[in-house]
């Protein structure tokens, strides 16, 4: 459902029983995904979920605290506004600053921090209550590689024409079948998605591609960025992006951009628990 794979929801418990046994907290998290296998707990390396649930367990007296996230980012992908919910035992007295600061304390020394925390109703879901998600992709567009930003952006040599990239990206706005822009291993039931916002801008030596939608397919943003770079280098005309979209075939679109430059920047809710 995101730039990620899908997951199987947990079975729902009756609301009265659930509310008496847990207290649910929404947390906003930022992290550097370098060296992590992504959000989801896996056996082949460390994950954000593993570290966050361990930190929550420390607050809960070593009792298990489960989490659900708004979007499962891939290995190497970063976040400035990821959202998850945590189910703490009901018998612990917690305040927002205690959840925020306690989790961030126990997350050290990992490059993961909780920047906001808020209590939410027991039927609130970080995933299913979300109304939109936004990503930003950072491209370093200069001849020399990054000395300070290694692992945090994609270094692309050769000048990128952002006007051509924007013109190409405009073909992807709205409701479409994005088969050409999703990973072959994508588990989503449908390739149809609606992109509400796609903006390309230059900031000194960096080019940023910002994309917003209710949900995303696996690798969708990275495949879009890899394709837009072809137009920025004038190897593709912008109209070819529309042709690739219409082809509904992954091989018709451009390459997958590396995970380094991708950031989950925000998740929207109505009402916003962090407001």
């Amino acid at each position: 459902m995101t730039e990620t794979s899908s997951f199987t929801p947990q079975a729902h418990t009756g609301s009265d029983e659930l509310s008496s046994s847990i207290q649910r907290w929404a947390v906003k998290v930022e992290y550097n995904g370098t060296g992590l296998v992504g959000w989801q707990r896996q056996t082949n390396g460390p994950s954000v979920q593993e570290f966050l649930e361990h930190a929550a367990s420390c607050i809960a007296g070593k009792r298990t605290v489960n989490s659900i996230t708004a979007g499962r980012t891939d290995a190497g992908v970063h976040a400035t506004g990821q959202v998850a919910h945590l189910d703490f035992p009901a018998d612990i007295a917690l305040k927002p600053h205690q959840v925020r600061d306690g989790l961030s304390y126990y997350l050290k020394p990992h490059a993961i921090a909780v920047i906001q925390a808020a209590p939410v109703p027991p039927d609130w879901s970080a995933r299913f209550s979300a109304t939109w998600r936004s990503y930003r992709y950072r491209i370093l567009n200069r001849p020399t590689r990054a000395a300070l930003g290694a692992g945090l952006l994609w270094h692309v040599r050769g000048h990128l024409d952002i006007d051509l990239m924007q013109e190409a990206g405009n073909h992807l706005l709205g409701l479409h079948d994005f088969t050409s822009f999703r990973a072959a291993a994508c588990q989503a039931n449908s390739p149809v998605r609606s992109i509400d916002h796609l903006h390309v801008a230059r900031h000194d030596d960096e080019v940023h591609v910002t994309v917003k939608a209710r949900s995303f397919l696996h690798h969708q943003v990275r495949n879009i960025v890899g394709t837009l770079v072809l137009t920025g280098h004038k190897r593709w005309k912008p109209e070819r992006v529309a042709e690739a979209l219409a082809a509904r075939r992954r091989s018709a679109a451009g390459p997958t951009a590396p995970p380094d430059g991708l950031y989950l920047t925000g998740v929207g809710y109505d009402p916003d628990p962090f407001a």
Side-chain angles (χ1 to χ4, degrees), residues 161-180:
D161 187 321
I162 65 167
D163 293 330
L164 290 177
M165 293 174 70
Q166 183 66 64
E167 184 180 347
N170 290 342
H171 291 292
L172 303 176
L173 291 170
L175 185 69
H176 301 286
D177 181 324
F178 280 95
T179 297
S180 298

Side-chain angles (χ1 to χ4, degrees), residues 80-83 132-135 263-268:
T80 59
Q82 173 70 283
V83 175
W132 55 262
R133 295 156 176 87
S134 62
Y135 284 88
Y263 295 74
L264 174 57
T265 55
V267 185

Side-chain angles (χ1 to χ4, degrees), residues 49-147:
Q49 183 181 30
E50 174 189 349
F51 292 137
L52 181 65
E53 290 182 352
H54 172 76
S57 175
C58 291
I59 294 176
K62 300 301 181 182
R63 285 176 284 181
T64 299
V65 178
N66 294 317
S67 69
I68 293 292
T69 182
R72 299 191 318 183
T73 51
D74 288 334
V77 175
H78 319 291
T80 59
Q82 173 70 283
V83 175
H85 73 247
L86 293 160
D87 288 339
F88 286 96
D91 60 354
I92 306 174
L94 293 171
K95 295 181 179 180
H97 74 277
Q98 293 172 324
V99 175
R100 179 197 64 204
D101 298 343
L103 289 173
S104 294
Y105 175 81
Y106 287 113
L107 282 164
K108 295 187 295 186
H110 312 294
I112 307 169
V114 172
I115 54 179
Q116 284 183 279
V120 291
D123 60 349
W124 187 91
S125 169
R127 180 189 180 191
F128 294 110
S129 299
T131 58
W132 55 262
R133 295 156 176 87
S134 62
Y135 284 88
R136 176 172 294 123
Y137 197 98
R138 294 176 59 197
I139 300 170
L140 179 64
N141 187 215
R142 69 183 190 191
T144 55
R145 63 178 176 81

